[in-house]
Amino acid sequence: MVNPVPLEARGVSYAYAPGHWAVRNVDLDLPAGARIALLGANGAGKSTLLLLLSGAEHLCHGEIFLHGTRAERSRAGLRRWRREVGLLLQDPEDQLLAPTVEQDVAFGPLQDGVEETQARKLVGQALSDMAIPHLATRPVHELSLGEKKRVALAGLLVQAPAVLLLDEPTAGLDPGGVRALREILHTLSQAGTAVILATHDVDFAYEWATEVCVLFQGGILARGVPAGVLADREMLTHASLEPPLLLEAALAIGGPPPLPRSRAEFREWARPTRRVFP
Amino acid sequence: MHVHAPLDHIAFSNAWRTQSPLDKLIFGGGLLLLASVLPALPWSAVIFAVAAAASLGGARIPVRAWVRFLAPQIGFLSAAVLPVILGAGWKSAAVVWMRGVAAAACMTFLALTTPAPDLLLAAQRARVPAVMVELAFLVYRLIASIWELFERLRFGLDLRLRGGKPSLRAATLSAGNLLTRSIQTARRVERGASLRGLDGFPMFTPRAETSRMFLVSAMVLHGSLLAAALFFRSRFPW
């Protein structure tokens, strides 16, 4: 039977130089369908933690388990790790390797030995899911940042990873791009993909995540449901973060729980009180 | 700010972009061969005109871009024939120059109508060793990234100079910055490749099949030029 927790981290630590811990003693479970946001200031260890979870960096201490089995750094082990766990880097330019969009998205399936006709179908589906089929024959280096992010994400999704790690996915995206990304991530988690993202964007994290982890100097400072963790102003200030605007407004107005998580929910929630929208 | 190489942009956007690279290689290569064997006068001029018509009329490459790519080659050729004038005389120099210009027009046609990745895929199909093709693909991506970086740095320098010319010190600093950041870019691409488990570079085989119509037309054109050269041999001796 397949372990329902596709990725577990136990006591994970990493130092870039002796004594300079970027990540220290982190435990994390990513069950199927999880939506976890890693929050923290610059240098808090978010990106390093994602690199460790993806197998891109060697652990100094701790262990990572894939579906209950210890992740190995052998050639076959890394191949499995990369098939199970996809990482979207902050700058998508770094992970786009092929000259055209279609060829880049096909990279994973063809690498895994998928037959070309089937690979073309998978690529077509992934491009459609990302709403970019019109970019198929375009050269990668002529795309905008938002388009490159979508192509990089399509290149990960085409392999249907059990876990998706995203490093600052909203950085550089316009509001429409952020909205589209949120919808894509919702669909993925509903389909059972565990998604964890590192971000400074507390508003996005509050609206999207089912669990938030606040990182500070490489360790987990607080974790839990967004409405609980992100209401702790003192802790957030200590971690150089601010509470989400919607949550702060809802708390300031006061009203019945559950607190609204999105603008639409906020409108509905505030309407009966007629305090905000007459 | 243009963040992509102009040659690459035209090669990806011209009207013959989807034509098979083999078709274009046979058409351009055939003309190139004729330019080197037929009498320079008048056939080099005819070949130049055919290559120009194919580039501008067929592939619809903008005239300014075509001139911009051809002009430096003609300038280089013109400088190169000067020693020939001194050594072998005007007539030989003119022949070398005319053949050279016709050949440059053929090569410009190929370069502006065929993106580098298409040529590499054609090389892959022609069984060029996989490691060479894969390396060339990665180098191509890296060059595209570094070009983008170069354009950004140049744009940033222009903004800070407010249109003035950069001093030697500013230019040197920018070149140093470009070098450092190019190395960083290479390292990041290396990490990205490792993340995606780069272990060979399998690619889709090109969809563009050779067009029989195109190939027959190209060969009829080549044959006609050769036949005309033979027919007028008494007037324009070989």
Side-chain angles (χ1 to χ4, degrees):
Chain A
M1 191 181 136
V2 178
N3 189 313
V5 183
L7 186 74
E8 297 164 74
R10 294 282 167 262
V12 165
S13 298
Y14 182 81
Y16 282 104
H20 292 84
W21 294 99
V23 172
R24 57 176 92 201
N25 202 25
V26 169
D27 291 325
L28 206 60
D29 284 358
L30 278 98
R35 300 202 302 265
I36 301 177
L38 290 178
L39 293 165
N42 290 336
K46 306 184 297 292
S47 299
T48 308
L49 181 57
L50 293 188
L51 289 174
L52 294 172
L53 294 176
S54 71
E57 293 285 357
H58 292 254
L59 302 173
C60 290
H61 298 294
E63 286 180 314
I64 289 175
F65 296 89
L66 296 171
H67 291 292
T69 314
R70 192 168 179 272
E72 300 285 345
R73 294 200 67 85
S74 63
R75 194 179 166 89
L78 280 173
R79 191 173 267 263
R80 177 185 169 226
W81 202 334
R82 275 150 199 174
R83 210 170 27 240
E84 295 280 345
V85 182
L87 169 62
L88 179 74
L89 295 169
Q90 189 170 348
D91 185 351
E93 182 78 14
D94 297 350
Q95 66 193 117
L96 298 173
L97 304 173
T100 63
V101 169
E102 173 181 65
Q103 296 281 14
D104 193 85
V105 178
F107 177 84
L110 291 178
Q111 183 103 311
D112 285 344
V114 176
E115 193 263 325
E116 187 166 326
T117 316
Q118 178 64 15
R120 281 195 190 274
K121 277 187 195 159
L122 292 172
V123 169
Q125 185 60 49
L127 293 177
S128 295
D129 290 347
M130 290 290 112
I132 48 169
H134 57 288
L135 300 180
T137 56
R138 290 272 303 277
V140 162
H141 51 273
E142 287 196 1
L143 305 179
S144 68
L145 177 68
E147 288 171 335
K148 280 179 186 169
K149 282 202 174 187
R150 282 177 185 233
V151 173
L153 200 49
L156 297 176
L157 296 184
V158 74
Q159 290 185 282
V163 179
L164 195 59
L165 314 171
L166 304 108
D167 194 359
E168 299 285 359
T170 57
L173 293 185
D174 57 25
V178 174
R179 197 163 46 242
L181 178 73
R182 190 163 40 230
E183 281 163 16
I184 290 163
L185 297 184
H186 261 300
T187 310
L188 283 172
S189 65
Q190 278 168 357
T193 309
V195 184
I196 181 165
L197 60 84
T199 184
H200 293 114
D201 189 344
V202 285
D203 294 303
F204 183 87
Y206 175 66
E207 184 171 348
W208 170 80
T210 50
E211 182 182 347
V212 293
C213 291
V214 178
L215 285 179
F216 180 69
Q217 294 181 351
I220 293 182
L221 186 64
R223 72 199 303 173
V225 292
V229 173
L230 298 177
D232 186 346
R233 176 172 268 283
E234 197 179 327
M235 180 277 295
L236 289 176
T237 306
H238 182 61
S240 298
L241 296 170
E242 291 286 334
L245 198 60
L246 266 184
L247 178 62
E248 210 163 30
L251 291 173
I253 292 165
L259 295 174
R261 298 274 299 275
S262 65
R263 286 174 187 228
E265 282 181 20
F266 184 83
R267 281 191 208 100
E268 287 305 311
W269 178 82
R271 189 168 284 131
T273 67
R274 297 196 178 274
R275 286 177 226 194
V276 179
F277 298 103
Chain B
M1 180 175 59
H2 299 283
V3 291
H4 35 72
L7 185 145
D8 199 51
H9 180 68
I10 294 167
F12 267 104
S13 58
N14 72 85
W16 280 359
R17 157 76 178 90
T18 52
Q19 199 74 40
S20 160
L22 186 66
D23 291 352
K24 290 179 274 192
L25 273 171
I26 288 174
F27 176 74
L31 285 180
L32 192 63
L33 188 69
L34 289 174
S36 58
V37 296
L38 296 186
L41 196 73
W43 303 111
S44 289
V46 173
I47 289 164
F48 178 86
V50 171
S55 304
L56 304 173
R60 301 209 193 105
I61 291 162
V63 179
R64 275 185 68 179
W66 185 74
V67 171
R68 208 176 129 203
F69 281 102
L70 196 58
Q73 299 177 64
I74 294 177
F76 180 78
L77 270 168
S78 304
V81 294
L82 288 176
V84 184
I85 297 171
L86 297 173
W90 278 101
K91 204 174 170 189
S92 297
V95 167
V96 169
W97 188 84
M98 287 169 77
R99 282 190 203 276
V101 169
C106 297
M107 293 305 289
T108 301
F109 163 79
L110 280 175
L112 290 179
T113 55
T114 317
D118 287 8
L119 285 174
L120 291 175
L121 284 171
Q124 198 175 39
R125 282 185 102 179
R127 307 196 178 193
V128 171
V131 68
M132 286 173 69
V133 178
E134 286 160 12
L135 197 63
F137 271 123
L138 282 177
V139 169
Y140 174 78
R141 267 298 291 143
L142 197 60
I143 288 172
S145 291
I146 292 171
W147 179 273
E148 192 175 332
L149 190 62
F150 166 72
E151 287 293 341
R152 282 188 187 153
L153 284 173
R154 199 177 69 166
F155 184 67
L157 188 64
D158 281 352
L159 278 180
R160 293 184 71 178
L161 292 169
R162 297 189 185 114
K165 282 197 169 180
S167 65
L168 184 61
R169 185 166 174 271
T172 312
L173 281 173
S174 293
N177 196 0
L178 180 66
L179 179 67
T180 317
R181 290 182 62 183
S182 298
I183 293 167
Q184 286 171 349
T185 302
R187 281 197 186 137
R188 282 170 25 196
V189 169
E190 185 190 354
R191 189 178 65 180
S194 155
L195 260 177
R196 295 186 70 184
L198 182 68
D199 183 16
F201 212 134
M203 301 280 251
F204 279 157
T205 45
R207 270 183 172 155
E209 295 297 328
T210 51
S211 154
R212 190 174 291 176
M213 182 76 174
F214 189 98
L215 283 179
V216 168
S217 306
M219 285 172 186
V220 166
L221 181 71
H222 295 153
S224 306
L225 281 170
L226 188 61
L230 287 169
F231 186 78
F232 291 110
R233 193 163 45 170
S234 55
R235 193 177 295 176
F236 305 112
W238 289 44

